[in-house]
Amino acid sequence: MREQIIHKSTELFLNLGFKSVTMDDIAKELGISKKTIYVHFPNKTKLVEVTTMHLFEIISHGIDCICALDKNPIAELYDIKRFVMEHLKDEKSSPQYQLKKYYPKIFATLKQKQFEVMHECVHENLSRGIKQGLYRDTINTEFITRIYFNSMLAIKDTDLFPLKIFSMNMLLDNYLEYHLRGICKDEGIKILNQFITKNQS
């Protein structure tokens, strides 16, 4: 039952937001009493924490698997973007921004974990791109890695990028292009243009 609660809660939080989903909503969706949820989770905050970390582990594992394939670095970034979008349901409710607003302690823990995973992944991606002659060898990889992480957080800020104007998919596509055009050499730009054309078709 605990796993069912986590699964259903994750789905509801992603689609409707952490703020609007109540324990009653989760119980109703599962066809159980609220008391049953409280057997496994003492309060909503604990449930939010567990579901957040559960989703983080799934996404981190998926990213690790994509990175292990040792693909072309540009293709790798697009594969990661596609995988994350599939698991975050296009972030209709901007869960990360809501988490920051209503559950700041959980957000801070998640942010640190995300940074550790992304730092390793992006740094490795940049190093391989330089070795393969796709990225400029003059870039400061540590600087780019940190800018990349911070920019990924920034585009999830719905005050800056309202979901009525920008879908998360559109934001990620635009940011990936922006990021890659800043670091690619001519050969990398050719590959990037192929992905952009493919996405538009």
Side-chain angles (χ1 to χ4, degrees), residues 130 135-144 182-185:
I130 291 168
Y135 301 160
R136 290 183 289 109
D137 55 12
T138 54
I139 61 173
N140 182 321
T141 53
E142 188 58 34
F143 172 77
I144 301 284
I183 63 174
C184 278
K185 294 170 79 169

Side-chain angles (χ1 to χ4, degrees), residues 1-9 30 32 36-37 39-42 46-47 49-51 54:
M1 178 51 70
R2 190 174 192 273
E3 291 304 312
Q4 284 177 267
I5 294 168
I6 292 170
H7 180 76
K8 180 54 70 178
S9 300
L30 286 166
I32 59 174
T36 306
I37 298 176
V39 168
H40 300 279
F41 304 97
K46 188 63 184 174
L47 180 57
E49 181 186 1
V50 172
T51 53
H54 171 72

Side-chain angles (χ1 to χ4, degrees), residues 10-190:
T10 302
E11 184 185 310
L12 290 171
F13 289 147
L14 284 176
N15 286 320
L16 303 171
F18 290 108
K19 175 73 170 165
S20 49
V21 175
T22 66
M23 296 296 249
D24 284 315
D25 293 331
I26 297 163
K28 188 178 175 184
E29 283 286 325
L30 286 166
I32 59 174
S33 73
K34 198 159 61 167
K35 283 181 182 176
T36 306
I37 298 176
Y38 286 120
V39 168
H40 300 279
F41 304 97
N43 50 54
K44 184 182 171 185
T45 301
K46 188 63 184 174
L47 180 57
V48 168
E49 181 186 1
V50 172
T51 53
T52 299
M53 295 310 158
H54 171 72
L55 187 59
F56 167 77
E57 293 300 336
I58 290 171
I59 291 174
S60 295
H61 177 69
I63 290 172
D64 285 344
C65 290
I66 292 168
C67 292
L69 296 173
D70 216 21
K71 281 188 166 187
N72 165 307
I74 295 169
E76 179 180 273
L77 288 179
Y78 275 94
D79 282 355
I80 289 172
K81 175 245 164 185
R82 200 175 305 112
F83 173 79
V84 170
M85 289 306 301
E86 283 168 8
H87 281 78
L88 294 182
K89 321 285 186 194
D90 199 23
E91 296 210 342
K92 294 180 187 71
S93 64
S94 187
Q96 189 141 316
Y97 188 57
Q98 282 204 8
L99 198 66
K100 182 180 181 180
K101 193 171 181 182
Y102 301 110
Y103 299 93
K105 285 184 180 176
I106 299 172
F107 173 79
T109 303
L110 177 66
K111 182 181 172 184
Q112 183 57 40
K113 286 175 173 286
Q114 286 176 327
F115 176 73
E116 288 162 9
V117 168
M118 199 178 278
H119 185 276
E120 185 178 345
C121 175
V122 176
H123 209 278
E124 173 61 25
N125 181 280
L126 292 169
S127 299
R128 272 193 300 117
I130 291 168
K131 281 178 192 168
Q132 292 177 23
L134 301 177
Y135 301 160
R136 290 183 289 109
D137 55 12
T138 54
I139 61 173
N140 182 321
T141 53
E142 188 58 34
F143 172 77
I144 301 284
T145 299
R146 289 169 187 269
I147 282 288
Y148 186 89
F149 177 74
N150 274 294
S151 299
M152 280 294 184
L153 286 181
I155 63 174
K156 292 175 182 178
D157 183 335
T158 51
D159 286 339
L160 277 175
F161 300 100
L163 291 171
K164 287 178 183 176
I165 304 172
F166 306 98
S167 75
M168 188 50 61
N169 196 51
M170 179 253 224
L171 284 169
L172 284 172
D173 274 342
N174 276 274
Y175 179 65
L176 266 186
E177 181 181 349
Y178 176 83
H179 165 72
L180 288 165
R181 285 198 185 280
I183 63 174
C184 278
K185 294 170 79 169
D186 289 346
E187 192 56 40
I189 293 291
K190 282 180 196 171

